[in-house]
Amino acid sequence: MTANTTKKRFIASKTSMLALLVVSTMVFTACSSKSETSTNGGDNGKPADGKQVTLKVEIFDRGNAPAGSTITDNYLSKFVQEKFGNNNNVKVEYVPVPRSEEVAKLNVLMASGSDVPDIVFTYDPNTFNRYAKQGGLTDLGPLLEEHGKTLKTFLGDEVLEYGKFEGTQFAIPAKRSITGKYASFIRQDWLTKLNLPVPQTTDELYTTLKAFKEKDPGQTGGQVIPLGMTIASAQYEPLLWSFIQSMTEEQQYTLTQQLGSNDYPVLLPGFKDGLQFMNKLYNEGLISKDFGLDKDKKKMSEDIQTGKVGFFSEDDINIYYKDGTYDLLEKTVEGAVLSAVDVYTNDQGKHAKPQYAPNGLYIMVPKSSKNAVEAVKYLDWMASDDNLFNLQNGIVDENYTLVDGIPVTNENPTEEAKNRLFNSGDLAIISNGKQLGSLEDNLKARVLSMPAQFHEQLAIAQEIAYADNIPLVVLDRPIEAQTKYATTLLDKFNEIIVKTTMSKPDQFESTYTAMLKDYMASGGQAILDERTAAYKEMKSK
Amino acid sequence: MSMGVYFRRYWQLYALLVLPLSYFLIFKYGPIYGIQIAFKDFNLFQGINGSEWIGFDAFKEVFGMRDFYITLRNTLMLNFLDLLVSFPAPLILAIMLYELKTAWFKKLSQTILYIPHFISWVIIGGIVYQVFGTQSGMINNLLTSVGLEAIPFLTDKNDWLVTYLLVGVWQSAGWGTIIYLAALTGINKELFEAAGIDGAGRLKRIWHITLPGLKPTIIVLLIINLGHMISIGFERPYVIGNLAVREYSDVLSTFVYRIGIQSGQYTLATVIGLFQAVVGLVFVLGSNYVSKKLTDESIL
């Protein structure tokens, strides 16, 4: 056993969860080292010409492999081997990592040194920064120049910028096909019943919510939840960000706190007003008493499906899936209609809301990898010709038909066709979402992948998600305090929302002050200081 | 019998111990090597040996964190309350079961009492949410339907404490009876009969025979429990706790998880682990010493 895993085990003895992790690592280590000797002949040096190289690629395991396939051996893995591997004398081997413990497992893999895959990835920018800072990643800049021309063009400079750490290209960020995030939804049939117009501003929304509460148009027997709220970002972000006031550039750069891949408004002017509004909604019974327990939106989705919720904000696409929230609502409540609307309004009369960063996964090649060249070639292959298209869409006529150049998923594919793409999203790592060359086509393709009765509404929701987006604040150097404190502060941020919202109105002020003080002391101040310094440095250049 | 003859005859007995011994050496003693991480600026890619020594810097950082003291306080508080509430529960249950004479009823109730022990905390968390939720929990639905005020079992910190403790009793009390029931079978039946003839009622018999008979077991369990005062399971506070009651539900194990696994600061997590181990050792030795002085019972 290596020294690293021994050390892991020491920490692990503290909690059973960690212990589990270690056990899984050991099992894993055993497996991978075996397969390495069998396929690679123990040769870890630079591949001599004519000698086959084994390229190990991480893949998320969601435990959903259909019968006849495994996460490491399936239609797509064979496709890759045939189209890429055989042409380049590379054996591509997938290394499964459970989706739910992605970062933890990745840490263990990285620490193991020799067993780490040649291509790894994470959604967490802090993890990427930490690896880069500790000197564990390969500089991909020169390799991209030499072997990744197509990939570079596909991703573009803006996306690639996200993979730089202090100016060096330590990661290849995946390109996100759609960056719109949120829309809001209202029970149109309730409005019609009460003879109310669609609310256009936050103030009007308040009046509407009040009416929902008092008149209970859904006849829920007093169980009505006028505003569906949770402690997941899709519900609170659109509300809170609409309270953020106009700022100077300096305020934007220094006061924003980036925790993980999102910006957080905790120090921005107006944030407190947003909390105050939530406090008012809570104390007047307009949001669920248990919203602070609902981290995964499960309870809220259930309440929407059973027709208790009047209004809510959500990822633009989430309610439209087959057998999803809207589908089930229509089945449970006769005549229920949800309309996509844009309501929360800021001080300039805009429906300001956050958007996604243009990148998705951070794809990395560990420094200990001997196959960095093949790794870049693999990603470059994926971006070339119609390879990505085939990985994402499967086989024409069996999986999709082309309508005006846009692949439309077959509504009733054969079992074989359906199983073909079960891991498509996790294998086609260079892109987050389907890429068809233009945003317009990407959006159209997404609409067409949903049940026909929702096409029109989803198109509206997508448009709303793109309206008045607040751009992410990009600093030209990593903020160390963010990497260090993000997880802790994210928890504290959610705690601030829950505690201030649930406090009695007369205790709001004191709760807010105490919580903010705790936030600042736990790393918020350190981030603020570092960002202020970074801004000054940027301006002085 | 000379040593040589002895070993030749009984070597199998020693061979049988090789496996358990190596288990402890590899999994319990081996990792002690990793304690040095607490004194190093641990770099994932350099390994333990390649990382730089930093002395007590990490200790200073941990002891300067506000969250550390809050989670430490909560760990001790939850464990202490658990000791008060959950420790006597299986004892009382076991005595009640022992007094039963109808075998089938006794077996049935034992089975019913054991079952919660086998349910994972994640599932219990879901059940707790359904039963104790404020907006639509079963209990509060009942309360509000008869016109009473809903009780925030999960979102008010004091109500949450009660919920946390009682759920613990529900989950573990039945299982805890096993060890007492085993000890009870070791008490000589004749003692009970003799006491009965001398006119001792049921309560007198419990007080003068059952409880003294269980004393060594109770003390051993108490010492073990005190040794665990500073460490706390991860699942129960993590699953039952929530943001609204974090002031009480955030404990050392969830803190270590956040810092060590989620933020990758292994050095800090190791420091906390080492701290827990040292304090745990002090607790065990201390309670063992006190018990030896007071009752002559001890485990060392």
Side-chain angles (χ1 to χ4, degrees):
Chain A
M1 204 44 64
T2 63
N4 293 318
T5 29
T6 316
K7 149 244 113 202
K8 275 288 150 39
R9 202 171 310 111
F10 173 73
I11 301 165
S13 69
K14 292 303 132 222
T15 78
S16 57
M17 189 147 172
L18 309 193
L20 203 80
L21 178 113
V22 172
V23 173
S24 58
T25 325
M26 284 168 19
V27 171
F28 171 76
T29 317
C31 295
S32 57
S33 52
K34 198 176 74 201
S35 51
E36 186 179 44
T37 39
S38 62
T39 53
N40 216 6
D43 180 12
N44 276 333
K46 272 256 163 212
D49 277 329
K51 202 152 195 197
Q52 199 183 45
V53 175
T54 302
L55 181 72
K56 292 202 258 178
V57 183
E58 177 188 349
I59 189 157
F60 282 152
D61 186 357
R62 298 174 199 264
N64 60 347
S69 306
T70 65
I71 187 69
T72 51
D73 182 18
N74 47 63
Y75 169 79
L76 291 178
S77 73
K78 288 192 185 103
F79 181 85
V80 168
Q81 185 57 44
E82 190 187 315
K83 302 275 174 180
F84 167 73
N86 295 349
N87 294 337
N88 291 279
N89 205 11
V90 170
K91 181 176 172 0
V92 182
E93 185 182 308
Y94 290 96
V95 179
V97 165
R99 175 68 186 97
S100 53
E101 44 191 279
E102 172 231 328
V103 173
K105 183 78 190 279
L106 187 58
N107 282 336
V108 176
L109 280 177
M110 288 302 233
S112 79
S114 56
D115 285 318
V116 65
D118 300 302
I119 296 181
V120 296
F121 45 77
T122 177
Y123 275 108
D124 180 22
N126 296 317
T127 303
F128 159 57
N129 284 338
R130 196 156 43 234
Y131 289 163
K133 182 161 178 279
Q134 296 194 345
L137 301 176
T138 305
D139 177 6
L140 297 169
L143 293 173
L144 266 178
E145 212 52 64
E146 197 179 336
H147 304 285
K149 283 268 158 50
T150 325
L151 183 62
K152 264 188 99 169
T153 323
F154 168 76
L155 295 172
D157 286 342
E158 194 201 355
V159 173
L160 278 169
E161 199 58 38
Y162 281 85
K164 285 187 181 158
F165 179 87
E166 289 171 352
T168 312
Q169 193 83 47
F170 279 123
I172 297 174
K175 185 177 178 177
R176 201 177 267 284
S177 64
I178 292 168
T179 57
K181 228 174 181 175
Y182 304 131
S184 297
F185 304 90
I186 198 163
R187 279 291 291 273
Q188 188 66 49
D189 53 320
W190 288 14
L191 291 176
T192 318
K193 199 164 175 185
L194 299 180
N195 216 353
L196 288 169
V198 175
Q200 302 296 327
T201 64
T202 313
D203 289 338
E204 285 177 37
L205 175 67
Y206 175 72
T207 322
T208 313
L209 294 177
K210 273 283 197 199
F212 283 171
K213 171 96 183 164
E214 279 153 22
K215 303 199 174 117
D216 193 7
Q219 285 161 342
T220 57
Q223 298 214 329
V224 59
I225 300 168
L227 174 61
M229 183 53 65
T230 68
I231 197 64
S233 42
Q235 279 68 54
Y236 66 67
E237 276 205 331
L239 187 153
L240 289 173
W241 277 98
S242 75
F243 279 87
I244 303 305
Q245 297 151 12
S246 342
M247 286 175 280
T248 63
E249 185 200 64
E250 185 178 349
Q251 283 176 312
Q252 234 170 44
Y253 275 92
T254 56
L255 297 181
T256 305
Q257 305 240 317
Q258 190 195 339
L259 314 172
S261 42
N262 295 338
D263 283 348
Y264 285 82
V266 62
L267 301 181
L268 300 182
F271 180 65
K272 192 177 160 192
D273 302 328
L275 294 177
Q276 189 111 45
F277 183 64
M278 284 190 57
N279 180 274
K280 182 162 103 172
L281 295 175
Y282 180 85
N283 281 296
E284 292 178 15
L286 299 176
I287 57 182
S288 166
K289 292 259 179 280
D290 289 332
F291 85 98
L293 305 178
D294 198 6
K295 260 188 259 179
D296 53 9
K297 319 182 201 176
K298 233 161 111 190
K299 186 71 189 145
M300 186 191 73
S301 306
E302 197 183 300
D303 289 336
I304 297 169
Q305 282 158 27
T306 47
K308 289 181 196 159
V309 177
F311 173 90
F312 60 96
S313 61
E314 178 57 298
D315 293 357
D316 54 359
I317 195 167
N318 270 11
I319 63 166
Y320 294 117
Y321 287 95
K322 191 164 184 254
D323 297 322
T325 310
Y326 198 178
D327 212 2
L328 291 174
L329 170 68
E330 281 183 331
K331 282 175 190 149
T332 348
V333 183
E334 211 180 318
V337 182
L338 276 174
S339 293
V341 287
D342 210 2
V343 179
Y344 295 121
T345 314
N346 70 4
D347 59 347
Q348 292 172 307
K350 287 209 166 125
H351 301 301
K353 56 179 94 59
Q355 63 180 348
Y356 282 109
N359 69 313
L361 286 173
Y362 293 83
I363 305 168
M364 302 164 282
V365 177
K367 198 159 210 167
S368 59
S369 165
K370 306 277 191 295
N371 305 321
V373 172
E374 282 74 21
V376 172
K377 277 187 184 164
Y378 170 66
L379 298 171
D380 191 63
W381 165 83
M382 206 180 271
S384 318
D385 304 326
D386 52 0
N387 293 326
L388 182 64
F389 184 91
N390 289 334
L391 288 176
Q392 291 188 324
N393 297 295
I395 297 176
V396 71
D397 290 335
E398 288 184 36
N399 288 98
Y400 67 92
T401 41
L402 274 182
V403 179
D404 304 331
I406 292 169
V408 182
T409 315
N410 283 358
E411 289 233 16
N412 298 306
T414 61
E415 200 61 19
E416 195 200 342
K418 207 168 72 189
N419 292 346
R420 203 170 276 149
L421 296 174
F422 83 99
N423 58 343
S424 164
D426 293 328
L427 193 131
I429 46 176
I430 58 167
S431 165
N432 196 303
K434 283 188 185 177
Q435 299 283 4
L436 297 164
S438 74
L439 176 64
E440 203 191 342
D441 284 355
N442 291 349
L443 286 170
K444 243 188 238 167
R446 196 161 78 142
V447 166
L448 291 173
S449 68
M450 289 287 141
Q453 80 257 38
F454 300 135
H455 284 178
E456 203 178 317
Q457 277 294 315
L458 176 53
I460 299 173
Q462 288 190 148
E463 212 169 291
I464 292 171
Y466 263 96
D468 302 340
N469 282 152
I470 303 163
L472 281 108
V473 180
V474 184
L475 288 168
D476 57 359
R477 70 172 170 92
I479 304 297
E480 241 175 82
Q482 284 179 172
T483 307
K484 191 163 178 189
Y485 299 115
T487 327
T488 301
L489 289 179
L490 204 50
D491 260 16
K492 299 241 180 237
F493 175 77
N494 286 336
E495 198 183 352
I496 293 179
I497 297 177
V498 172
K499 295 289 271 185
T500 53
T501 302
M502 291 178 69
S503 65
K504 299 258 157 12
D506 58 332
Q507 282 161 11
F508 173 83
E509 199 64 42
S510 58
T511 312
Y512 171 79
T513 314
M515 300 291 309
L516 193 70
K517 201 176 141 214
D518 183 31
Y519 179 95
M520 293 310 274
S522 307
Q525 185 66 46
I527 294 180
L528 176 63
D529 293 347
E530 215 182 316
R531 290 187 74 114
T532 310
Y535 177 75
K536 280 203 187 114
E537 195 183 294
M538 195 172 88
K539 281 283 125 180
S540 65
K541 265 179 205 163
Chain B
M1 187 164 36
S2 78
M3 274 308 256
V5 176
Y6 170 80
F7 270 114
R8 223 167 299 138
R9 190 174 297 167
Y10 294 114
W11 67 270
Q12 286 105 327
L13 289 180
Y14 290 85
L16 280 175
L17 264 180
V18 167
L19 213 59
L21 264 183
S22 45
Y23 166 81
F24 277 94
L25 287 176
I26 295 172
F27 292 104
K28 300 289 177 190
Y29 288 89
I32 292 176
Y33 170 76
I35 289 177
Q36 51 176 309
I37 291 176
F39 306 95
K40 287 186 159 187
D41 180 14
F42 182 64
N43 181 316
L44 208 54
F45 303 96
Q46 307 289 325
I48 297 184
N49 291 328
S51 301
E52 251 175 84
W53 290 99
I54 50 163
F56 284 89
D57 284 6
F59 285 83
K60 278 180 209 146
E61 189 175 348
V62 167
F63 295 137
M65 286 166 118
R66 187 170 166 267
D67 276 9
F68 172 71
Y69 294 100
I70 292 175
T71 52
L72 177 63
R73 182 203 70 192
N74 290 343
T75 306
L76 292 173
M77 177 181 74
L78 292 182
N79 279 338
F80 181 71
L81 291 174
D82 233 9
L83 198 65
L84 285 186
V85 181
S86 293
F87 187 72
L91 179 62
I92 297 167
L93 261 183
I95 293 175
M96 280 159 64
L97 284 169
Y98 188 66
E99 293 296 320
L100 294 177
K101 290 288 170 269
T102 323
W104 68 266
F105 183 77
K106 193 170 159 181
K107 288 220 168 97
L108 182 72
S109 12
Q110 271 177 283
T111 310
I112 292 174
L113 289 166
Y114 292 165
I115 285 176
H117 176 79
F118 295 101
I119 304 177
S120 105
W121 275 109
V122 178
I123 295 172
I124 295 177
I127 299 174
V128 165
Y129 191 4
Q130 296 289 332
V131 174
F132 295 102
T134 313
Q135 181 85 27
S136 54
M138 257 162 59
I139 296 181
N140 278 317
N141 276 354
L142 270 178
L143 288 179
T144 43
S145 68
V146 295
L148 290 169
E149 194 83 6
I151 304 170
F153 290 111
L154 297 175
T155 44
D156 177 87
K157 57 184 183 182
N158 296 315
D159 291 329
W160 178 82
L161 258 188
V162 177
T163 314
Y164 174 87
L165 292 171
L166 293 184
V167 169
V169 171
W170 175 80
Q171 196 261 356
S172 64
W175 185 250
T177 60
I178 289 182
I179 210 157
Y180 290 115
L181 286 171
L184 280 168
T185 56
I187 299 175
N188 194 338
K189 289 271 191 296
E190 285 172 16
L191 287 174
F192 290 100
E193 282 162 26
I197 292 166
D198 289 347
R202 194 181 293 279
L203 287 177
K204 284 251 180 221
R205 268 180 291 164
I206 292 175
W207 185 253
H208 291 292
I209 301 171
T210 315
L211 281 176
L214 287 175
K215 201 171 93 179
T217 316
I218 297 175
I219 285 170
V220 167
L221 285 179
L222 195 63
I223 293 173
I224 293 176
N225 264 306
L226 283 172
H228 289 156
M229 246 352 213
I230 190 80
S231 58
I232 189 164
F234 174 78
E235 290 99 336
R236 185 167 155 210
Y238 186 74
V239 164
I240 313 247
N242 62 68
L243 287 166
V245 295
R246 248 184 64 138
E247 275 174 272
Y248 282 176
S249 70
D250 200 14
V251 293
L252 284 175
S253 55
T254 49
F255 184 52
V256 167
Y257 171 71
R258 202 162 57 233
I259 294 213
I261 288 302
Q262 291 189 308
S263 314
Q265 298 179 59
Y266 297 114
T267 302
L268 299 184
T270 313
V271 167
I272 300 167
L274 184 58
F275 171 80
Q276 280 180 294
V278 171
V279 176
L281 185 68
V282 171
F283 268 109
V284 172
L285 293 178
S287 54
N288 191 61
Y289 177 78
V290 170
S291 155
K292 211 172 190 169
K293 288 272 144 178
L294 293 179
T295 67
D296 238 21
E297 306 276 359
S298 69
I299 52 172
L300 289 173

